């Protein structure tokens, strides 16, 4: 039987806490076997509350991408457990896990991952089509307007700028109203002005829609929009900050990198 879902640590003066939407306990991941095995994660435990934007940072090789892949059900841990909306992922077969990802998870990638033969609107609607769900017209129209693509909805990715393609990717991630959106270096392939626009959209999705979001980033300015910043080093969470300035985040990252 799967262990009980861990609860978020809370200040008793905070009032009624938001529900936990994503959790991991004692999460480990090793690659290889025997003396040559490499430990990418070493017993990580974390909870993410509804409506929280959590940034994950750390030096190269710290385990941040591995953590995101495990939390999103894209990989299986060597040990430990992940829960999404109170479902333990270890209890699911591959087909069930695929269905859970379609229903509960949205993805935003660094390189957009749009299908080139589809229009912007068709790319946005793709998760609903794959899940066999009927689009809600009013919600789709609101979303396309929110990301500023009303005049570009019939254009294919090759006809869109990098920023516009990432706007399509954000709308695609949000269209199914997922439990969690995972954003993997969402501004890593964009210039600073466009990055600021994309970060504003991600922040607005949390503020306006209560969209729980986990963002892996190396950019302190990106992490500064988060409600919480987790710092990884050598496969462990070594620092857990609340809302912080880019300057504070850079100082903390330097401290973590120098461990």
């Amino acid at each position: 039987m799967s262990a009980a879902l861990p609860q978020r640590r809370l200040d008793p003066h905070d009032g009624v806490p938001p529900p936990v939407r994503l959790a991991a306990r004692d999460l480990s991941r090793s690659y290889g076997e025997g003396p040559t095995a490499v430990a990418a994660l070493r017993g990580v435990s974390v909870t993410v509350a509804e409506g929280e934007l959590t940034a994950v940072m750390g030096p190269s090789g710290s385990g941040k991408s591995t953590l995101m892949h495990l939390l999103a059900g894209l990989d299986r841990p060597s040990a430990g457990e992940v829960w999404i909306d109170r479902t333990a992922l270890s209890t699911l077969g591959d087909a069930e896990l695929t269905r859970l990802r379609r229903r509960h998870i949205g993805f935003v990638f660094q390189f957009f991952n749009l299908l080139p033969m589809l229009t912007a609107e068709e790319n946005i609607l793709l998760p609903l089509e794959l899940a066999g769900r009927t689009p809600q017209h009013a919600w789709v129209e609101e979303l396309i307007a929110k990301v500023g693509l009303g005049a570009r909805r019939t254009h294919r990715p090759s006809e869109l700028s990098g920023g516009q393609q990432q706007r399509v990717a954000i709308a695609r991630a949000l269209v199914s109203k997922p439990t969690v959106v995972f954003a993997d270096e969402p501004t890593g392939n964009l210039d600073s002005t466009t990055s600021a626009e994309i970060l504003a959209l991600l922040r607005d999705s949390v503020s306006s829609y209560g969209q729980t979001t986990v963002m892996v980033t190396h950019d302190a300015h990106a992490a500064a929009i988060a409600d919480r910043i987790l710092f990884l080093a050598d496969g462990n969470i070594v620092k857990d900050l609340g809302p912080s300035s880019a300057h504070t985040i850079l100082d903390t990252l330097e401290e973590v990198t120098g461990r």
Side-chain angles (χ1 to χ4, degrees):
M1 181 177 293
S2 180
L5 177 68
Q7 298 300 307
R8 188 181 183 215
R9 289 180 298 173
L10 295 157
D11 186 323
H13 302 294
D14 283 347
V16 178
V20 170
R21 290 304 184 202
L22 173 68
R25 178 183 285 160
D26 300 330
L27 208 56
S28 297
R29 183 67 169 99
S30 296
Y31 298 96
E33 297 180 358
T36 61
V38 176
L41 280 185
R42 306 169 186 265
V44 169
S45 296
V46 64
T47 58
V48 179
E50 183 178 276
E52 183 175 80
L53 197 166
T54 300
V56 180
M57 301 194 77
S60 179
S62 62
K64 54 187 184 293
S65 292
T66 299
L67 177 60
M68 190 192 78
H69 291 159
L70 295 178
L71 293 177
L74 294 173
D75 191 14
R76 301 270 189 179
S78 302
E81 183 62 275
V82 175
W83 292 262
I84 294 176
D85 204 26
R86 307 193 71 84
T87 297
L89 300 195
S90 68
T91 66
L92 304 179
D94 289 344
E96 293 172 308
L97 189 55
T98 296
R99 286 193 291 271
L100 179 137
R101 284 197 301 266
R102 287 176 179 171
R103 175 65 189 88
H104 289 282
I105 298 176
F107 292 102
V108 179
F109 300 100
Q110 178 177 351
F111 295 105
F112 322 133
N113 288 19
L114 304 180
L115 294 186
M117 74 291 295
L118 301 182
T119 66
E121 183 170 2
E122 288 168 343
N123 268 287
I124 291 168
L125 295 176
L126 187 59
L128 298 179
E129 182 178 340
L130 291 174
R133 296 167 58 188
T134 302
Q136 298 176 352
H137 179 73
W139 167 238
V140 172
E141 291 301 313
E142 178 182 343
L143 200 51
I144 289 174
K146 174 73 77 173
V147 298
L149 289 169
R152 311 289 286 180
R153 63 198 301 159
T154 61
H155 290 63
R156 289 182 169 78
S158 62
E159 301 171 303
L160 301 173
S161 68
Q164 289 168 338
Q165 289 185 64
Q166 196 62 299
R167 289 170 181 268
V168 173
I170 290 172
R172 180 184 60 188
L174 296 174
V175 72
S176 61
K177 300 182 180 179
T179 299
V180 187
V181 165
F182 289 95
D184 187 7
E185 299 283 4
T187 61
N189 201 37
L190 302 173
D191 62 61
S192 58
T193 300
T194 306
S195 293
E197 295 170 354
I198 294 303
L199 291 171
L201 277 176
L202 286 173
R203 181 67 249 181
D204 186 58
S205 74
V206 178
S207 302
S208 297
Y209 302 131
Q211 178 61 64
T212 308
T213 302
V214 176
M215 173 177 63
V216 170
T217 182
H218 69 279
D219 183 354
H221 292 284
I225 73 168
D227 303 303
R228 180 187 186 196
I229 307 103
L230 302 178
F231 294 86
L232 270 71
D234 299 322
N236 293 293
I237 295 175
V238 295
K239 201 84 170 180
D240 186 344
L241 289 183
S244 302
S245 68
H247 179 75
T248 298
I249 293 167
L250 281 171
D251 285 347
T252 305
L253 190 59
E254 184 176 345
E255 173 193 335
V256 166
T257 304
R259 282 175 179 263

